[in-house]
Amino acid sequence: MSLRHAVLGLLTEGPASGYDLLKVFEASLANVWPATQSQLYGELGRLADAGLIEVVAEGPRGRKEYGLTEAGLAELRRWLIEVEPESFRRTDMLLRVFFLGVVSPEQAQAYLREQGAVAARGRESLEEIRSTVDKGDLENAPLAVYGRIALEWGLRFTAMQQEWAEWAARQVDRIGERHTAAAPGTDGSGQSRP
Amino acid sequence: MSLRHAVLGLLTEGPASGYDLLKVFEASLANVWPATQSQLYGELGRLADAGLIEVVAEGPRGRKEYGLTEAGLAELRRWLIEVEPESFRRTDMLLRVFFLGVVSPEQAQAYLREQGAVAARGRESLEEIRSTVDKGDLENAPLAVYGRIALEWGLRFTAMQQEWAEWAARQVDRIGERHTAAAPGTDGSGQSRP
DNA sequence: CTTGACATGTAAATCGTTACATGATTTG
DNA sequence: CAAATCATGTAACGATTTACATGTCAAG
């Protein structure tokens, strides 16, 4: 139920329409909390019904600008301070690792190396954002500081993942050395545990 | 749609009932891909309908043991090799960071330090698992190797998160020094951007 | 006057969680 | 025989994705 709070958070920067918010979700929040158009308009309706946001202006093409209400800001603060973040991570990438024994060591290594490369590419694009952000030094404005902190998480995460993937690929080498003959192909033949 | 593949993966270790699988999900897979009982039984039914698994034995209390079919193993391999993992992470914890500007620097710091502590606790419990696993040296059996690789990810991830959170809390100190008077409480008064 | 950007919404399907419901078997 | 464990399922609700549907305005 955090899309709700993401919307409230974005509206602290000033009023915006669903369309505006959608662009923010696609651009800056895409890596943290993706949202689709459907979901967003639905949530805006529900937030307005709940009195957490309200229409503050109407524009051309039926444009509705929403602004945060007092209740909305209070709810955002409550969520930030009182509600514990859910810690579990459903990671597709890691789930696969558990089952890499069913493909050949070469295929497993290819998988791990690819994950390392994906992380490296991610890190590069974040580095670019960093250099842009760090240039326009905004005198420690809170937003810049917290945005920079989130960015740093991404930088460290991708670096960690890259190093881990490379390490992991090397570990698989050590199986390869012992099981060269036993490696099953993709032919769909029998199970690993007889 | 990866619960499906998690189930297929677990069944490569041998036939199991829904009840058996549920325990595995709660114990070893809980941190990577949580699943509830409802979801699991539903998925088992659908997998059986699709011919990817089949009932290989029936026990007491209506127990049904499912085993992987050839088609199921082929599907698992296809998923591992051909389907790219989805990279986006919906991280509650990080979403909040973006909005920490709406609470006081002290509260923001408390939040970040708590996240560091959570990571530290997670890391400790993984370290314990590691010491257990590393003792019973299973001669590089593929399962032990890949399980160990996944565990290593957790160790590195929690270490990274702990260090990041501590770094982040120090960054907030630097705002605190400049904005000591401007910090809003939890009283729900006005917005940061008038 | 056509294209592209702006702008909002609904419908159907799938996935996930919580809670409910039921009953059989083993063990002390 | 009572309690714990084994064992499977359904119902209701909320979150998410994909696709559909509609219409306005500005610029070339």
Side-chain angles (χ1 to χ4, degrees), chain A residues 11-183:
Chain A
L11 289 178
T12 60
E13 310 241 2
S17 69
Y19 194 82
D20 294 338
L21 292 172
L22 190 61
K23 281 183 295 185
V24 178
F25 272 102
E26 281 164 0
S28 65
L29 233 50
N31 294 311
V32 175
W33 205 272
T36 61
Q37 184 247 37
S38 274
Q39 228 188 323
L40 190 48
Y41 283 108
E43 194 61 49
L44 285 171
R46 267 170 268 136
L47 280 165
D49 289 348
L52 301 179
I53 63 175
E54 63 192 355
V55 176
V56 294
E58 308 208 11
R61 290 159 283 228
R63 175 188 174 91
K64 282 182 277 188
E65 279 193 340
Y66 292 95
L68 206 55
T69 62
E70 290 291 314
L73 183 59
E75 167 58 18
L76 178 63
R77 289 210 174 101
R78 190 194 64 79
W79 174 73
L80 278 169
I81 295 169
E82 291 172 27
V83 183
E84 294 189 45
E86 295 185 29
S87 56
F88 54 70
R89 24 168 176 279
R90 256 193 191 100
T91 23
D92 207 357
M93 186 259 127
L94 203 54
L95 177 62
R96 289 164 204 247
V97 172
F98 281 94
F99 307 133
L100 284 177
V102 304
V103 299
S104 74
E106 290 74 26
Q107 288 172 318
Q109 257 180 346
Y111 173 78
L112 291 166
R113 294 219 174 92
E114 173 60 18
Q115 298 318 307
V118 167
R121 286 196 293 274
R123 190 162 129 267
E124 269 170 53
S125 77
L126 292 176
E127 295 275 17
E128 262 180 62
I129 296 173
R130 171 165 67 179
S131 63
T132 312
V133 167
D134 281 356
K135 265 178 209 158
D137 215 325
L138 294 179
E139 299 180 4
N140 288 349
L143 214 125
V145 173
Y146 291 115
R148 183 62 184 73
I149 287 175
L151 178 62
E152 181 70 18
W153 187 92
L155 288 165
R156 291 179 184 224
F157 176 78
T158 48
M160 174 245 123
Q161 188 138 313
Q162 189 186 354
E163 283 161 29
W164 166 82
E166 284 160 9
W167 171 87
R170 286 195 300 274
Q171 296 304 111
V172 174
D173 262 335
R174 309 220 307 233
I175 315 182
E177 286 161 18
R178 300 169 127 269
H179 293 235
T180 33

Side-chain angles (χ1 to χ4, degrees), chain B residues 118-128 154-155 158-160 162:
Chain B
V118 167
R121 286 196 293 274
R123 189 162 130 267
E124 268 171 52
S125 77
L126 291 176
E127 295 275 17
E128 261 179 63
L155 288 165
T158 48
M160 173 245 122
Q162 188 186 353

